[in-house]
Structures are given as structure tokens and as C-alpha cells.
Amino acid sequence: MESPAVTFTLAYVVFAVCFVFPPDEVRSAGLTVQSLLAAWLGSEDAAFVQYHLRRSTGTLLAHSLLPLGYYLGMCFAAPEKHLWFFYLAPKGWKTFFFFAVLLPAVTSALAYYWSRKGWNNHPLARTLAVHALPQSGWRAVASSINLEFRRIDKFATGAPGARVIVTDTWVIKVTTYCLHVAQQQDIHLMVTDSTQHELSPDSNMPVQFLTIRVASINPYVKAFDIRLNSTEYGELREKLRAPISNAANVVIHQSLSDLFLETFISVVEINQTYSVPSNQELEPCIGCMQTNANIKLIKNCQEPNEGECQQCYCRPMWCLTCMGKWFASRQDQQHPETWLSSQVPCPTCRAKFCILDVCIIR
């Protein structure tokens, strides 16, 4: 494959990935299925279920056109392959073209079938029908969800392709192609996993993501997982009727200070250590009085007369955890991205120090 074809292939792969899994920059530019089909989709706030009936169908159709788009692009990127003339194209490209045309044809037929009889055949309609009372249908369930979604007290979080919505009656997970729906009175919730990231790409702060399993006692409702930031866990619990069990024994950090403390400790552990003189005894930490003091503030970030940090001459009086809590308490809560690089005063002598100046006693 010649250079123009390679360049186009790489560029198209990037485009396809961004189109299927759009980052924030692509969403802000309006290059998403929801933006391109906004006139047809209507308003999510006005009719949540009907919006997602169309959105899931339109998304499937749009994504099925990507292979055909690649073939048409290669007609220009590699003219020597004669892709414009099907009978002259190489056998491999003929096969690719066949599947590139077949895929949108099948999805178009499927979309037409789903839309028949007022979307009665759509998988989402069948999902909602499971929750309907004997004398009603899926539209009654859809009306209930639409009504509760319009309320301002709902819990909603996550990116458009993986949103979690909790109303007074329903727990909903929105994915690229479908919706998972469960009724609050029928569910059991369990924390099954926790993922810790040292830095969040959005805030430059540590972040913890929880995976919660939603299982229904209704045998026709498939269990599904929801994923959210641990700082939103408290708000989620307030909206749920059922308790959340912690099967994985995960320590859940519900505040920025909790998350920062773990990062603070991990950074300090790789700092230069301090050897206490043999004739000096360590006293209990004056912050918690539970453990012995185990850190000393020594200016290591720069030369002695450079920068804002100052040399602290206090004897070891604090433990690492209490010093981390002190460091977090002195930060600007509106700008967590500055916490790791800031300076705070020593809690005893007020000499300024940064995180690089905190040394563990060995």
C-alpha cells in the first residue's frame, strides 16, 4: 500500500474511533450522531424514551456506513487500484466492498422493522414492556420515565455514551446502542470493583471510579453495571431506595481530600527520606495522637535560598496522614488542579513547604 493510501487509512481510523467514541473536543465541534441528526431526534427532555429509540437506531445506521466511507475514500487515495470500477478491483477489495454495502443495507432493513407500528418492534420497547402492568404496554412505562426524567431532582452522571440516570422509580444506563432499565423497588446493588487513577485528565487530580452491579429480582431484566466517580457516590445513595452492599470491600473516597490524601502519600513515599538522630525519641503525632510522628520537613525542592519554600527547623511532630490532611485543608477547593504544586505553611512554625519537602523518617 503506497504512502497516500497509508496516510488516508491512518487518518480514517482516527476519524472512525472519534466518531464512534467521541471525545469532548469532537462533541463540542458537533461531530456526533446526536448533533448531526438533531432535527430528527427531537428533544431528550421532552420525550426521553422516544429520543433514545431514534438515537440508538440512527447511531447504528451511521456507524454501519463507516466501512463504505473508507472504500470510497480509498478510491481517491489509491487510484491505481481501480476501485471505482468494481470489475477491475482486486478480489480482496471486491469482498470488502460487498460487506461495506451489505452492512448498511442490513441495518437499514433492521431500522425499518424497528420503526414499524410506532416502534413496537424496537429492542427498547421490548425492554420497557417487561416492566409494564398486565393491562398496559411499554408506552405507559415510557410515559413514566419521560415524566420523571424532566424533574430537576434526578441523578445523572457520565459521558453521553455511558450515562447513568436515577429517578424516583427508575435506574437507567444509556449506552451507544441501547438502554438498560431497572425499577428501583426490584433491584439489588453491589459495589464489585474500584479503579484508582493518580490523575484525572479533566482536573489533574486523583480520581476513583466505582463499578456497581445492578441486579433485578425480575427474571426478564438483565443485570448491568454502572460506573461513576466515587465523589458522586453519596449523591447516588441519596436517590436510591435500595442499599448498596460492598462485596469487594472497597474503600470509597467520597471527597477530593480523601482522593488527594492517597496521592500525597504515594508522592511522599518516593521523596528523599530522613534519618533521625540516635539520641532523639519520636513522640506521638500531635494531630491524631494515635501513631508516632514519622515525617520531617526538609527543603529539597530547590536550593536553600531559592523559591518560596523555606527551611523548617521543627522536630518531627506529625504523622504522614495528618500532614496530608493539613496540606489538603489549606488548598483552594475551587482549583484542585493546583494542589500538588502548591505551598502551605508548616502547622507549627509557619515556614512554607511543598510536597517535595515532606520526608519520611526511616
Side-chain angles (χ1 to χ4, degrees), residues 292-306:
N292 285 341
N294 59 8
I295 61 103
K296 175 78 170 73
L297 300 180
I298 302 174
K299 184 175 180 180
N300 293 317
C301 57
Q302 291 177 302
E303 295 298 323
N305 297 322
E306 295 181 4

Side-chain angles (χ1 to χ4, degrees), residues 55-225:
R55 180 201 59 81
S56 58
T57 304
T59 300
L60 185 64
L61 281 170
H63 291 175
S64 70
L65 291 170
L66 289 173
L68 183 59
Y70 175 69
Y71 183 91
L72 295 176
M74 284 297 293
C75 291
F76 296 96
E80 71 282 355
K81 296 185 181 296
H82 307 291
L83 300 182
W84 281 116
F85 306 99
F86 182 75
Y87 61 92
L88 295 177
K91 185 177 180 180
W93 281 103
K94 289 180 179 179
T95 303
F96 181 85
F97 178 76
F98 174 76
F99 284 106
V101 172
L102 180 64
L103 185 60
V106 171
T107 54
S108 297
L110 188 62
Y112 175 74
Y113 171 72
W114 286 349
S115 64
R116 294 288 305 277
K117 301 178 182 178
W119 297 97
N120 276 351
N121 299 322
H122 195 282
L124 176 55
R126 297 175 183 175
T127 297
L128 299 183
V130 171
H131 301 281
L133 296 174
Q135 302 303 320
S136 63
W138 71 269
R139 286 183 175 82
V141 179
S143 297
S144 171
I145 294 175
N146 292 345
L147 179 64
E148 293 190 14
F149 182 79
R150 286 194 289 269
R151 296 175 183 169
I152 61 173
D153 63 341
K154 65 179 178 293
F155 172 83
T157 185
R163 290 171 65 201
V164 176
I165 300 163
V166 181
T167 67
D168 292 336
T169 309
W170 306 97
V171 178
I172 305 167
K173 178 183 178 182
V174 180
T175 65
T176 302
Y177 301 114
C178 65
L179 261 71
H180 298 278
V181 180
Q183 206 162 4
Q184 281 220 41
Q185 64 182 14
D186 295 338
I187 60 174
H188 300 289
L189 301 111
M190 183 180 299
V191 178
T192 59
D193 192 24
S194 167
T195 305
Q196 189 85 17
H197 299 280
E198 292 299 324
L199 293 176
S200 164
D202 298 324
S203 62
N204 197 31
M205 279 290 296
V207 62
Q208 181 188 32
F209 286 102
L210 304 175
T211 301
I212 300 175
R213 187 73 168 172
V214 180
S216 175
I217 60 174
N218 188 331
Y220 299 103
V221 178
K222 294 179 66 175
F224 58 93
D225 293 330

Side-chain angles (χ1 to χ4, degrees), residues 149-362:
F149 182 79
R150 286 194 289 269
R151 296 175 183 169
I152 61 173
D153 63 341
K154 65 179 178 293
F155 172 83
T157 185
R163 290 171 65 201
V164 176
I165 300 163
V166 181
T167 67
D168 292 336
T169 309
W170 306 97
V171 178
I172 305 167
K173 178 183 178 182
V174 180
T175 65
T176 302
Y177 301 114
C178 65
L179 261 71
H180 298 278
V181 180
Q183 206 162 4
Q184 281 220 41
Q185 64 182 14
D186 295 338
I187 60 174
H188 300 289
L189 301 111
M190 183 180 299
V191 178
T192 59
D193 192 24
S194 167
T195 305
Q196 189 85 17
H197 299 280
E198 292 299 324
L199 293 176
S200 164
D202 298 324
S203 62
N204 197 31
M205 279 290 296
V207 62
Q208 181 188 32
F209 286 102
L210 304 175
T211 301
I212 300 175
R213 187 73 168 172
V214 180
S216 175
I217 60 174
N218 188 331
Y220 299 103
V221 178
K222 294 179 66 175
F224 58 93
D225 293 330
I226 60 176
R227 195 166 183 262
L228 74 159
N229 195 316
S230 62
T231 57
E232 300 170 316
Y233 181 74
E235 186 181 352
L236 173 67
R237 286 178 57 187
E238 290 178 3
K239 196 62 182 175
L240 290 168
R241 297 180 187 177
I244 305 177
S245 58
N246 193 341
N249 295 319
V250 175
V251 177
I252 300 172
H253 305 299
Q254 298 185 50
S255 69
L256 280 176
S257 296
D258 291 339
L259 291 167
F260 175 78
L261 183 58
E262 281 205 1
T263 301
F264 180 90
I265 292 174
S266 65
V267 172
V268 171
E269 285 178 343
I270 62 176
N271 284 351
Q272 178 180 324
T273 59
Y274 173 76
S275 298
V276 68
S278 57
N279 60 349
Q280 182 177 351
E281 293 187 5
L282 295 176
E283 301 175 356
C285 167
I286 64 174
C288 64
M289 301 298 291
Q290 300 297 316
T291 60
N292 285 341
N294 59 8
I295 61 103
K296 175 78 170 73
L297 300 180
I298 302 174
K299 184 175 180 180
N300 293 317
C301 57
Q302 291 177 302
E303 295 298 323
N305 297 322
E306 295 181 4
E308 297 184 28
C309 293
Q310 302 165 324
Q311 181 60 52
C312 171
Y313 296 99
C314 300
R315 71 179 191 277
M317 292 187 288
W318 297 83
C319 70
L320 180 56
T321 300
C322 288
M323 185 59 76
K325 292 178 179 179
W326 166 262
F327 198 97
S329 70
R330 306 294 293 180
Q331 304 303 317
D332 183 353
Q333 302 299 312
Q334 302 302 318
H335 296 282
E337 70 277 1
T338 65
W339 289 17
L340 286 173
S341 59
S342 64
Q343 294 88 23
V344 302
C346 167
T348 308
C349 71
R350 303 300 172 180
K352 282 189 175 182
F353 71 95
C354 66
I355 196 170
L356 298 176
D357 301 330
V358 182
C359 302
I360 295 179
I361 295 174
R362 300 297 186 192

